[in-house]
Amino acid sequence: VEIVNGQNIGVTYHMATSQKVAFVGLVAYADRIVPYLREEGYEVDIIDQHNYEALQENLDEYAVIIFNDRSSRMSDDALRLFVEKADQQEVSIIFTSQYNGGTIRSLSESHGDPEAVRFSTVPQYVNVKVTADHPLFTGITATEFTLLDKGRDTLLQQYAIYENYSGTTVGKMSHFEKGELGDGIGFKYSSANSVHILLSSLQVGSYTNPNENWTPEAKLLFTNALDWAIAASTGEVFGTVTDTEGVPIGNAMVEIEA
């Protein structure tokens, strides 16, 4: 819009409705990340992990769930039902993990996918090695970047990996000296308009949080995951096929050339 000195110009903006995010986990852990996400412009509700049943009844209020912590009261059957309900309502879920815990491990226990989750430590920092171009890495130019950094080589940095995931893995956990550590960043579409995203080592808790050892790239990866989870789509097309007179054609098949 060109504005001339002394001239009044009216401009009409069409703004999208804010997409709500649910952070599921310990309230103490939520306090370490939710203020940051709100500063970045996300509308985030904090849901205590024990209140998963109430959340399950109101999934349609959210575009994406950050599943940080699993309730001790949530059985494998209950977790399978929760994920199924979210998939049915096309609500994306971000699963996380860290040393000795996380919801990626819960997903492994309840669904067997990924097949296993393992964890260990490395000196000072842990990296992500990008193995495929993806919107999750928008704005990150390096093919291997530091995700978590304790700041001193005398300190150990905890991390987690997964094995044999049926989805697509686009990043591995790595270390400049130790090499590749295992699969770490992945996704799988859960419906035509929702996705499961696996962010290994980014469970907010005792071993990591944005205020302590997340790098700028870690923060960007996390917000990229939120943005992509909110907008995820396989390109589903809706419509009605009609003949030349506008009469709907039943059982029509449409092919779109790539």
Coordinates of all heavy atoms in Angstrom, one line a residue, residues 50-141:
H50 N -2.9 -35.3 34.2 CA -3.9 -36.1 34.8 C -5.3 -35.8 34.3 O -6.2 -36.6 34.5 CB -3.8 -36.0 36.4 CG -2.5 -36.5 37.0 ND1 -1.9 -37.7 36.6 CD2 -1.7 -35.9 37.9 CE1 -0.8 -37.8 37.3 NE2 -0.6 -36.7 38.1
N51 N -5.4 -34.7 33.7 CA -6.8 -34.3 33.2 C -6.9 -34.6 31.7 O -7.7 -34.0 31.0 CB -6.9 -32.8 33.3 CG -7.0 -32.4 34.8 OD1 -7.4 -33.2 35.7 ND2 -6.6 -31.1 35.1
Y52 N -6.3 -35.7 31.2 CA -6.3 -36.1 29.8 C -7.7 -36.5 29.4 O -8.1 -36.3 28.2 CB -5.3 -37.2 29.5 CG -5.7 -38.5 30.2 CD1 -6.5 -39.4 29.6 CD2 -5.1 -38.8 31.5 CE1 -6.8 -40.7 30.2 CE2 -5.4 -40.0 32.1 CZ -6.2 -40.9 31.4 OH -6.5 -42.1 32.0
E53 N -8.5 -37.0 30.3 CA -9.9 -37.4 29.9 C -10.8 -36.2 29.6 O -11.5 -36.2 28.6 CB -10.5 -38.3 31.0 CG -9.9 -39.6 31.1 CD -10.5 -40.5 32.3 OE1 -10.7 -39.9 33.4 OE2 -10.8 -41.6 32.0
A54 N -10.6 -35.2 30.3 CA -11.4 -33.9 30.1 C -10.9 -33.3 28.7 O -11.7 -32.8 27.9 CB -11.2 -32.9 31.2
L55 N -9.6 -33.3 28.5 CA -9.1 -32.9 27.2 C -9.6 -33.7 26.1 O -10.0 -33.1 25.0 CB -7.5 -32.9 27.2 CG -6.8 -32.6 25.9 CD1 -7.2 -31.2 25.4 CD2 -5.3 -32.8 26.1
Q56 N -9.7 -35.0 26.3 CA -10.2 -35.9 25.2 C -11.6 -35.5 24.8 O -12.0 -35.7 23.6 CB -10.1 -37.3 25.7 CG -10.5 -38.4 24.7 CD -10.2 -39.8 25.2 OE1 -9.0 -40.1 25.5 NE2 -11.2 -40.6 25.3
E57 N -12.4 -35.0 25.7 CA -13.8 -34.6 25.4 C -13.8 -33.2 24.7 O -14.9 -32.8 24.2 CB -14.6 -34.6 26.7 CG -14.8 -35.9 27.4 CD -15.4 -36.9 26.5 OE1 -16.4 -36.6 25.8 OE2 -14.9 -38.1 26.4
N58 N -12.7 -32.5 24.7 CA -12.7 -31.2 24.1 C -11.6 -31.0 23.1 O -11.1 -29.9 22.9 CB -12.6 -30.1 25.2 CG -13.7 -30.1 26.2 OD1 -14.8 -29.6 25.9 ND2 -13.6 -30.7 27.4
L59 N -11.2 -32.1 22.4 CA -10.2 -32.0 21.5 C -10.5 -31.0 20.3 O -9.5 -30.5 19.7 CB -9.9 -33.4 20.9 CG -9.2 -34.4 21.8 CD1 -9.2 -35.8 21.3 CD2 -7.7 -33.9 22.0
D60 N -11.7 -30.8 20.0 CA -12.1 -30.0 18.9 C -11.7 -28.5 19.1 O -11.8 -27.7 18.2 CB -13.6 -30.1 18.5 CG -14.5 -29.8 19.7 OD1 -14.0 -29.6 20.8 OD2 -15.7 -29.6 19.5
E61 N -11.3 -28.2 20.3 CA -10.9 -26.8 20.7 C -9.5 -26.5 20.2 O -9.1 -25.3 20.2 CB -11.1 -26.5 22.2 CG -12.5 -26.6 22.7 CD -12.6 -26.2 24.2 OE1 -11.6 -25.7 24.7 OE2 -13.6 -26.5 24.8
Y62 N -8.8 -27.5 19.9 CA -7.3 -27.4 19.6 C -6.9 -27.8 18.2 O -7.5 -28.8 17.7 CB -6.5 -28.2 20.7 CG -6.8 -27.7 22.1 CD1 -7.8 -28.3 22.9 CD2 -6.2 -26.5 22.6 CE1 -8.1 -27.9 24.1 CE2 -6.5 -26.1 23.9 CZ -7.5 -26.7 24.6 OH -7.8 -26.3 25.9
A63 N -5.9 -27.2 17.7 CA -5.3 -27.6 16.5 C -4.1 -28.6 16.7 O -3.9 -29.4 15.8 CB -4.8 -26.4 15.7
V64 N -3.4 -28.4 17.8 CA -2.3 -29.3 18.1 C -2.1 -29.5 19.6 O -2.4 -28.6 20.4 CB -1.0 -28.7 17.4 CG1 -0.7 -27.3 17.9 CG2 0.2 -29.6 17.7
I65 N -1.6 -30.6 19.9 CA -1.3 -31.0 21.3 C 0.2 -31.2 21.5 O 0.8 -32.0 20.7 CB -2.1 -32.2 21.8 CG1 -3.6 -32.0 21.7 CG2 -1.6 -32.7 23.2 CD1 -4.4 -33.3 21.8
I66 N 0.8 -30.5 22.4 CA 2.2 -30.7 22.8 C 2.1 -31.7 23.9 O 1.7 -31.4 25.1 CB 2.9 -29.5 23.2 CG1 2.9 -28.4 22.2 CG2 4.4 -29.8 23.7 CD1 3.4 -27.0 22.6
F67 N 2.4 -33.0 23.6 CA 2.2 -34.1 24.6 C 3.6 -34.3 25.3 O 4.4 -35.1 24.9 CB 1.7 -35.3 23.9 CG 1.2 -36.4 24.8 CD1 0.8 -36.1 26.1 CD2 1.1 -37.7 24.3 CE1 0.3 -37.1 26.9 CE2 0.6 -38.7 25.1 CZ 0.2 -38.4 26.4
N68 N 3.8 -33.5 26.3 CA 5.1 -33.5 27.0 C 5.2 -34.6 28.1 O 6.2 -35.2 28.2 CB 5.3 -32.1 27.7 CG 6.7 -31.9 28.1 OD1 7.6 -31.7 27.3 ND2 7.0 -32.0 29.4
D69 N 4.1 -34.8 28.8 CA 4.2 -35.8 29.9 C 2.9 -36.6 29.9 O 1.8 -36.1 29.7 CB 4.3 -35.1 31.3 CG 5.5 -34.3 31.4 OD1 6.6 -34.8 31.5 OD2 5.4 -33.0 31.4
R70 N 3.1 -37.9 30.1 CA 2.0 -38.9 30.2 C 1.6 -39.1 31.7 O 2.5 -39.3 32.5 CB 2.4 -40.2 29.6 CG 1.4 -41.3 29.8 CD 2.0 -42.6 29.2 NE 1.1 -43.7 29.3 CZ 1.3 -45.0 28.9 NH1 2.5 -45.2 28.4 NH2 0.5 -46.0 29.0
S71 N 0.3 -39.1 32.0 CA -0.1 -39.3 33.4 C 0.2 -40.8 33.8 O 0.0 -41.7 33.0 CB -1.6 -39.0 33.5 OG -2.1 -39.5 34.7
S72 N 0.5 -41.0 35.0 CA 0.7 -42.3 35.6 C -0.6 -43.1 35.6 O -0.6 -44.3 35.7 CB 1.3 -42.2 37.0 OG 0.5 -41.5 37.8
R73 N -1.7 -42.4 35.5 CA -3.0 -43.0 35.5 C -3.5 -43.4 34.1 O -4.5 -44.0 33.9 CB -4.1 -42.0 36.1 CG -3.7 -41.5 37.4 CD -4.7 -40.3 37.8 NE -4.2 -39.6 39.0 CZ -4.7 -38.5 39.4 NH1 -5.7 -37.9 38.7 NH2 -4.2 -37.9 40.5
M74 N -2.7 -43.0 33.1 CA -3.1 -43.3 31.7 C -2.5 -44.6 31.2 O -1.3 -44.7 31.0 CB -2.5 -42.1 30.8 CG -3.1 -42.1 29.4 SD -2.3 -40.8 28.4 CE -3.7 -40.3 27.4
S75 N -3.3 -45.6 31.1 CA -2.9 -46.9 30.7 C -2.6 -46.9 29.2 O -2.9 -45.9 28.5 CB -4.0 -48.0 30.9 OG -5.1 -47.7 30.1
D76 N -2.0 -48.0 28.7 CA -1.7 -48.1 27.3 C -3.0 -48.0 26.5 O -3.0 -47.4 25.4 CB -0.9 -49.4 26.9 CG 0.5 -49.3 27.4 OD1 1.0 -48.2 27.7 OD2 1.2 -50.4 27.4
D77 N -4.0 -48.7 26.9 CA -5.3 -48.6 26.3 C -5.9 -47.2 26.2 O -6.4 -46.8 25.2 CB -6.3 -49.6 27.0 CG -6.1 -51.0 26.7 OD1 -5.3 -51.3 25.7 OD2 -6.6 -51.9 27.4
A78 N -5.7 -46.5 27.3 CA -6.2 -45.1 27.4 C -5.4 -44.2 26.5 O -6.0 -43.3 25.8 CB -6.1 -44.6 28.8
L79 N -4.1 -44.5 26.3 CA -3.3 -43.7 25.4 C -3.7 -44.0 24.0 O -3.8 -43.1 23.1 CB -1.8 -43.9 25.6 CG -0.8 -43.2 24.7 CD1 -1.1 -41.7 24.7 CD2 0.6 -43.5 25.1
R80 N -3.9 -45.2 23.7 CA -4.3 -45.6 22.3 C -5.6 -44.9 22.0 O -5.8 -44.4 20.8 CB -4.4 -47.1 22.2 CG -3.1 -47.8 22.0 CD -3.2 -49.3 21.6 NE -3.7 -50.1 22.8 CZ -2.9 -50.7 23.6 NH1 -1.6 -50.6 23.4 NH2 -3.3 -51.4 24.6
L81 N -6.6 -44.9 22.9 CA -7.9 -44.3 22.7 C -7.7 -42.8 22.5 O -8.3 -42.2 21.6 CB -8.8 -44.5 23.8 CG -10.2 -43.9 23.7 CD1 -11.0 -44.4 22.5 CD2 -11.0 -44.2 25.0
F82 N -6.9 -42.1 23.3 CA -6.6 -40.7 23.2 C -6.1 -40.3 21.8 O -6.6 -39.4 21.2 CB -5.7 -40.3 24.3 CG -5.4 -38.8 24.3 CD1 -6.2 -37.9 25.1 CD2 -4.3 -38.3 23.7 CE1 -5.9 -36.6 25.1 CE2 -4.0 -36.9 23.7 CZ -4.9 -36.0 24.4
V83 N -5.1 -41.1 21.4 CA -4.5 -40.8 20.1 C -5.5 -41.0 19.0 O -5.6 -40.3 18.0 CB -3.2 -41.7 19.9 CG1 -2.7 -41.6 18.5 CG2 -2.1 -41.3 20.9
E84 N -6.3 -42.1 19.1 CA -7.3 -42.4 18.1 C -8.3 -41.3 18.0 O -8.7 -40.9 16.9 CB -8.0 -43.7 18.5 CG -9.1 -44.1 17.5 CD -9.9 -45.3 17.9 OE1 -9.4 -46.1 18.8 OE2 -10.9 -45.6 17.4
K85 N -8.8 -40.8 19.1 CA -9.7 -39.7 19.1 C -9.1 -38.4 18.5 O -9.8 -37.7 17.7 CB -10.2 -39.3 20.6 CG -11.0 -40.4 21.2 CD -12.4 -40.6 20.6 CE -13.2 -41.6 21.3 NZ -14.5 -41.8 20.7
A86 N -7.9 -38.1 18.8 CA -7.2 -36.9 18.2 C -7.1 -37.1 16.7 O -7.3 -36.2 16.0 CB -5.8 -36.8 18.9
D87 N -6.7 -38.3 16.3 CA -6.6 -38.6 14.8 C -8.0 -38.4 14.1 O -8.1 -37.8 13.0 CB -6.1 -40.0 14.6 CG -4.7 -40.1 15.1 OD1 -4.0 -39.1 15.4 OD2 -4.2 -41.3 15.1
Q88 N -9.0 -38.9 14.8 CA -10.4 -38.8 14.2 C -10.8 -37.3 14.0 O -11.5 -37.0 13.1 CB -11.4 -39.6 15.0 CG -11.2 -41.1 15.0 CD -12.2 -41.8 16.0 OE1 -12.8 -41.1 16.8 NE2 -12.2 -43.1 15.9
Q89 N -10.4 -36.5 15.0 CA -10.8 -35.1 14.9 C -9.7 -34.2 14.2 O -9.8 -33.0 14.3 CB -11.1 -34.6 16.3 CG -12.2 -35.3 17.0 CD -12.7 -34.6 18.2 OE1 -12.9 -33.4 18.3 NE2 -13.0 -35.4 19.3
E90 N -8.7 -34.9 13.6 CA -7.6 -34.2 12.9 C -6.9 -33.2 13.7 O -6.7 -32.1 13.3 CB -8.2 -33.6 11.6 CG -8.8 -34.6 10.7 CD -9.2 -34.1 9.3 OE1 -9.7 -32.9 9.2 OE2 -8.9 -34.8 8.3
V91 N -6.6 -33.6 14.9 CA -5.8 -32.8 15.8 C -4.3 -33.3 15.8 O -4.1 -34.5 16.1 CB -6.3 -32.8 17.3 CG1 -5.5 -32.0 18.2 CG2 -7.8 -32.3 17.3
S92 N -3.4 -32.5 15.5 CA -2.0 -33.0 15.4 C -1.4 -33.1 16.9 O -1.9 -32.5 17.8 CB -1.1 -31.9 14.7 OG -1.5 -31.9 13.3
I93 N -0.4 -34.0 17.0 CA 0.2 -34.2 18.3 C 1.7 -34.2 18.1 O 2.3 -34.8 17.2 CB -0.2 -35.6 18.9 CG1 -1.7 -35.8 19.0 CG2 0.5 -35.8 20.3 CD1 -2.1 -37.2 19.5
I94 N 2.4 -33.4 19.0 CA 3.8 -33.4 19.1 C 4.3 -34.2 20.2 O 3.9 -34.0 21.4 CB 4.4 -31.9 19.2 CG1 4.0 -31.1 17.9 CG2 5.9 -31.9 19.5 CD1 4.4 -29.7 18.1
F95 N 5.0 -35.3 20.0 CA 5.5 -36.2 21.0 C 7.0 -35.8 21.3 O 7.7 -35.5 20.3 CB 5.5 -37.6 20.6 CG 4.1 -38.1 20.3 CD1 3.5 -38.0 19.1 CD2 3.3 -38.7 21.4 CE1 2.2 -38.5 18.9 CE2 2.1 -39.2 21.1 CZ 1.5 -39.1 19.9
T96 N 7.4 -35.8 22.5 CA 8.8 -35.5 22.9 C 9.4 -36.6 23.7 O 8.7 -37.5 24.2 CB 8.8 -34.2 23.7 OG1 8.1 -34.3 24.9 CG2 8.2 -33.0 22.9
S97 N 10.7 -36.5 23.9 CA 11.4 -37.4 24.7 C 12.7 -36.8 25.3 O 13.1 -35.8 24.9 CB 11.8 -38.7 23.9 OG 12.8 -38.3 22.9
Q98 N 13.2 -37.5 26.3 CA 14.5 -37.1 26.9 C 15.0 -38.3 27.7 O 14.4 -39.4 27.7 CB 14.3 -35.9 27.9 CG 15.2 -34.6 27.5 CD 16.7 -35.0 27.4 OE1 17.2 -35.8 28.0 NE2 17.4 -34.3 26.5
Y99 N 16.1 -38.1 28.4 CA 16.7 -39.2 29.2 C 15.7 -39.8 30.1 O 15.1 -39.2 31.0 CB 17.9 -38.6 30.0 CG 18.8 -39.6 30.6 CD1 19.9 -40.1 29.8 CD2 18.6 -40.0 31.9 CE1 20.7 -41.0 30.4 CE2 19.5 -40.9 32.5 CZ 20.5 -41.4 31.7 OH 21.4 -42.3 32.3
N100 N 15.5 -41.1 29.9 CA 14.7 -42.0 30.8 C 13.2 -41.6 30.8 O 12.5 -41.9 31.7 CB 15.2 -41.9 32.3 CG 14.8 -43.1 33.1 OD1 14.7 -44.2 32.6 ND2 14.5 -42.9 34.4
G101 N 12.7 -40.9 29.7 CA 11.3 -40.7 29.7 C 10.8 -40.0 28.5 O 11.5 -39.9 27.5
G102 N 9.6 -39.5 28.5 CA 9.0 -38.8 27.4 C 7.9 -39.6 26.7 O 7.7 -40.8 26.9
T103 N 7.1 -38.8 26.0 CA 5.9 -39.4 25.3 C 6.2 -40.2 24.0 O 5.4 -41.0 23.6 CB 4.9 -38.4 25.1 OG1 5.4 -37.3 24.3 CG2 4.3 -37.8 26.4
I104 N 7.4 -40.0 23.5 CA 7.8 -40.9 22.4 C 8.0 -42.3 22.9 O 7.6 -43.3 22.3 CB 9.1 -40.4 21.7 CG1 8.9 -39.0 21.1 CG2 9.5 -41.4 20.6 CD1 10.1 -38.4 20.4
R105 N 8.5 -42.4 24.1 CA 8.7 -43.8 24.7 C 7.3 -44.3 25.0 O 7.0 -45.5 24.9 CB 9.5 -43.7 26.0 CG 9.8 -45.1 26.5 CD 10.8 -45.1 27.6 NE 10.3 -44.6 28.9 CZ 10.9 -44.7 30.1 NH1 12.1 -45.3 30.1 NH2 10.4 -44.3 31.2
S106 N 6.3 -43.4 25.5 CA 5.0 -43.9 25.7 C 4.3 -44.4 24.5 O 3.6 -45.4 24.5 CB 4.1 -42.7 26.3 OG 4.7 -42.3 27.5
L107 N 4.6 -43.7 23.3 CA 4.0 -44.1 22.1 C 4.6 -45.5 21.7 O 3.9 -46.3 21.1 CB 4.4 -43.1 21.0 CG 3.7 -43.1 19.7 CD1 2.2 -42.9 19.8 CD2 4.3 -42.1 18.7
S108 N 5.9 -45.7 22.0 CA 6.5 -47.0 21.7 C 5.9 -48.1 22.5 O 5.6 -49.2 22.0 CB 8.0 -46.9 22.0 OG 8.6 -48.1 21.8
E109 N 5.6 -47.8 23.8 CA 5.0 -48.8 24.7 C 3.6 -49.1 24.3 O 3.2 -50.3 24.4 CB 5.1 -48.2 26.1 CG 6.5 -48.1 26.7 CD 6.5 -47.4 28.0 OE1 5.5 -46.7 28.4 OE2 7.6 -47.4 28.7
S110 N 2.8 -48.1 23.9 CA 1.4 -48.3 23.6 C 1.1 -48.8 22.2 O 0.2 -49.6 22.0 CB 0.6 -47.1 23.9 OG 1.0 -46.0 23.0
H111 N 1.9 -48.3 21.2 CA 1.7 -48.6 19.8 C 2.7 -49.5 19.2 O 2.5 -50.0 18.1 CB 1.5 -47.3 19.0 CG 0.3 -46.5 19.4 ND1 0.1 -45.8 20.5 CD2 -0.8 -46.3 18.6 CE1 -1.0 -45.2 20.5 NE2 -1.6 -45.5 19.4
G112 N 3.9 -49.6 19.9 CA 5.0 -50.4 19.3 C 5.6 -49.6 18.1 O 6.3 -50.2 17.3
D113 N 5.4 -48.3 18.0 CA 5.8 -47.5 16.9 C 6.1 -46.1 17.3 O 5.2 -45.4 17.6 CB 4.7 -47.5 15.8 CG 5.2 -46.9 14.5 OD1 6.4 -46.8 14.3 OD2 4.3 -46.4 13.7
P114 N 7.4 -45.8 17.5 CA 8.6 -46.5 17.1 C 8.8 -47.8 17.9 O 8.2 -48.0 19.0 CB 9.8 -45.6 17.4 CG 9.3 -44.6 18.4 CD 7.8 -44.5 18.1
E115 N 9.6 -48.7 17.4 CA 9.8 -50.0 18.1 C 10.5 -49.8 19.4 O 10.2 -50.6 20.3 CB 10.7 -50.9 17.1 CG 10.8 -52.3 17.6 CD 11.5 -53.1 16.6 OE1 11.0 -53.3 15.5 OE2 12.7 -53.6 16.9
A116 N 11.4 -48.9 19.5 CA 12.2 -48.7 20.8 C 12.6 -47.3 20.9 O 12.7 -46.5 20.0 CB 13.4 -49.6 20.8
V117 N 12.8 -46.9 22.2 CA 13.4 -45.6 22.5 C 14.6 -45.8 23.4 O 14.5 -46.5 24.4 CB 12.4 -44.6 23.2 CG1 13.0 -43.3 23.7 CG2 11.3 -44.3 22.2
R118 N 15.7 -45.2 23.1 CA 16.9 -45.3 24.0 C 17.5 -44.0 24.3 O 17.1 -43.0 23.7 CB 18.0 -46.2 23.2 CG 17.4 -47.5 22.7 CD 18.5 -48.4 22.3 NE 17.9 -49.6 21.6 CZ 17.4 -50.6 22.2 NH1 17.3 -50.6 23.5 NH2 16.9 -51.7 21.6
F119 N 18.3 -43.9 25.4 CA 18.8 -42.6 25.8 C 20.2 -42.8 26.4 O 20.6 -43.9 26.8 CB 17.9 -42.0 26.9 CG 17.3 -43.0 27.8 CD1 18.0 -43.4 29.0 CD2 16.0 -43.6 27.6 CE1 17.5 -44.4 29.8 CE2 15.5 -44.5 28.5 CZ 16.2 -44.9 29.6
S120 N 21.0 -41.7 26.4 CA 22.3 -41.8 26.9 C 22.8 -40.3 27.1 O 22.0 -39.4 27.2 CB 23.2 -42.5 26.0 OG 24.5 -42.7 26.6
T121 N 24.1 -40.1 27.3 CA 24.7 -38.8 27.5 C 25.9 -38.6 26.6 O 26.5 -39.6 26.2 CB 25.1 -38.6 28.9 OG1 26.1 -39.6 29.3 CG2 23.9 -38.7 29.9
V122 N 26.2 -37.4 26.3 CA 27.4 -37.0 25.5 C 28.0 -35.8 26.2 O 27.3 -35.0 26.9 CB 27.1 -36.8 24.0 CG1 26.9 -38.0 23.3 CG2 25.9 -35.8 23.9
P123 N 29.3 -35.5 25.9 CA 29.9 -34.3 26.5 C 29.2 -33.0 26.0 O 29.2 -32.8 24.8 CB 31.3 -34.4 26.1 CG 31.5 -35.9 25.8 CD 30.3 -36.3 25.3
Q124 N 28.8 -32.2 26.9 CA 28.4 -30.8 26.7 C 27.1 -30.5 25.8 O 26.2 -29.8 26.2 CB 29.5 -29.9 26.1 CG 29.2 -28.5 25.9 CD 30.3 -27.6 25.4 OE1 31.4 -28.0 25.6 NE2 30.0 -26.5 24.8
Y125 N 27.0 -31.2 24.6 CA 26.0 -30.8 23.7 C 25.5 -32.0 22.9 O 26.1 -33.0 22.8 CB 26.5 -29.7 22.7 CG 27.6 -30.3 21.8 CD1 27.4 -30.9 20.6 CD2 29.0 -30.1 22.2 CE1 28.4 -31.5 19.8 CE2 30.0 -30.7 21.4 CZ 29.7 -31.3 20.2 OH 30.7 -31.9 19.5
V126 N 24.3 -31.8 22.3 CA 23.8 -32.8 21.3 C 23.3 -32.1 20.1 O 22.7 -31.0 20.2 CB 22.7 -33.7 21.9 CG1 21.5 -33.0 22.3 CG2 22.4 -34.9 21.0
N127 N 23.5 -32.6 18.9 CA 23.2 -32.0 17.7 C 22.0 -32.7 17.0 O 21.6 -33.8 17.4 CB 24.3 -32.0 16.7 CG 25.5 -31.2 17.1 OD1 25.4 -30.4 18.0 ND2 26.7 -31.5 16.5
V128 N 21.5 -32.1 16.0 CA 20.6 -32.7 15.0 C 21.3 -32.7 13.6 O 21.7 -31.6 13.2 CB 19.2 -32.0 14.9 CG1 18.4 -32.5 13.7 CG2 18.4 -32.2 16.2
K129 N 21.4 -33.8 13.0 CA 21.9 -33.9 11.6 C 20.7 -34.0 10.7 O 20.0 -35.0 10.7 CB 22.9 -35.1 11.5 CG 23.6 -35.1 10.2 CD 24.6 -36.2 10.1 CE 25.4 -36.2 8.8 NZ 26.5 -37.3 8.9
V130 N 20.5 -33.1 9.8 CA 19.4 -33.1 8.9 C 19.6 -34.1 7.8 O 20.7 -34.1 7.2 CB 19.2 -31.7 8.3 CG1 18.0 -31.7 7.3 CG2 19.0 -30.6 9.4
T131 N 18.6 -35.0 7.6 CA 18.8 -36.0 6.6 C 17.8 -35.8 5.4 O 17.9 -36.6 4.4 CB 18.5 -37.4 7.2 OG1 17.2 -37.4 7.8 CG2 19.6 -37.7 8.3
A132 N 16.9 -34.9 5.5 CA 16.0 -34.6 4.4 C 15.5 -33.2 4.6 O 15.2 -32.7 5.7 CB 14.8 -35.6 4.4
D133 N 15.3 -32.5 3.5 CA 14.7 -31.1 3.5 C 13.3 -31.2 4.0 O 12.5 -32.2 3.6 CB 14.7 -30.5 2.1 CG 16.1 -30.1 1.7 OD1 17.0 -29.9 2.5 OD2 16.3 -30.0 0.4
H134 N 12.9 -30.3 4.9 CA 11.5 -30.4 5.4 C 11.2 -29.0 6.1 O 12.1 -28.3 6.6 CB 11.4 -31.5 6.5 CG 10.0 -31.8 6.8 ND1 9.3 -31.1 7.8 CD2 9.1 -32.7 6.3 CE1 8.1 -31.6 7.9 NE2 7.9 -32.6 7.0
P135 N 9.9 -28.6 6.1 CA 9.5 -27.4 6.8 C 9.9 -27.3 8.2 O 10.0 -26.2 8.8 CB 8.0 -27.4 6.6 CG 7.8 -28.1 5.4 CD 8.8 -29.2 5.4
L136 N 10.2 -28.4 8.9 CA 10.6 -28.4 10.3 C 11.9 -27.7 10.4 O 12.2 -27.1 11.5 CB 10.7 -29.8 10.8 CG 9.5 -30.6 11.0 CD1 9.8 -32.1 11.3 CD2 8.7 -30.1 12.2
F137 N 12.7 -27.6 9.4 CA 14.0 -27.0 9.4 C 14.0 -25.6 8.7 O 15.1 -25.1 8.4 CB 15.1 -27.9 8.8 CG 15.1 -29.2 9.5 CD1 14.9 -30.4 8.7 CD2 15.4 -29.4 10.8 CE1 14.9 -31.6 9.3 CE2 15.4 -30.6 11.4 CZ 15.2 -31.8 10.6
T138 N 12.9 -25.0 8.5 CA 12.8 -23.7 7.9 C 13.6 -22.7 8.7 O 13.5 -22.6 10.0 CB 11.4 -23.2 7.8 OG1 10.6 -24.1 7.0 CG2 11.3 -21.8 7.2
G139 N 14.5 -21.9 8.1 CA 15.3 -20.9 8.8 C 16.6 -21.5 9.4 O 17.4 -20.7 9.9
I140 N 16.8 -22.8 9.3 CA 18.0 -23.4 9.8 C 18.8 -23.8 8.6 O 18.5 -24.7 7.8 CB 17.7 -24.6 10.7 CG1 16.8 -24.2 11.9 CG2 19.0 -25.3 11.2 CD1 16.3 -25.4 12.7
T141 N 20.0 -23.1 8.4 CA 20.7 -23.3 7.2 C 21.8 -24.5 7.3 O 22.1 -25.1 6.3 CB 21.5 -22.0 6.8 OG1 22.3 -21.6 7.9 CG2 20.5 -20.9 6.5

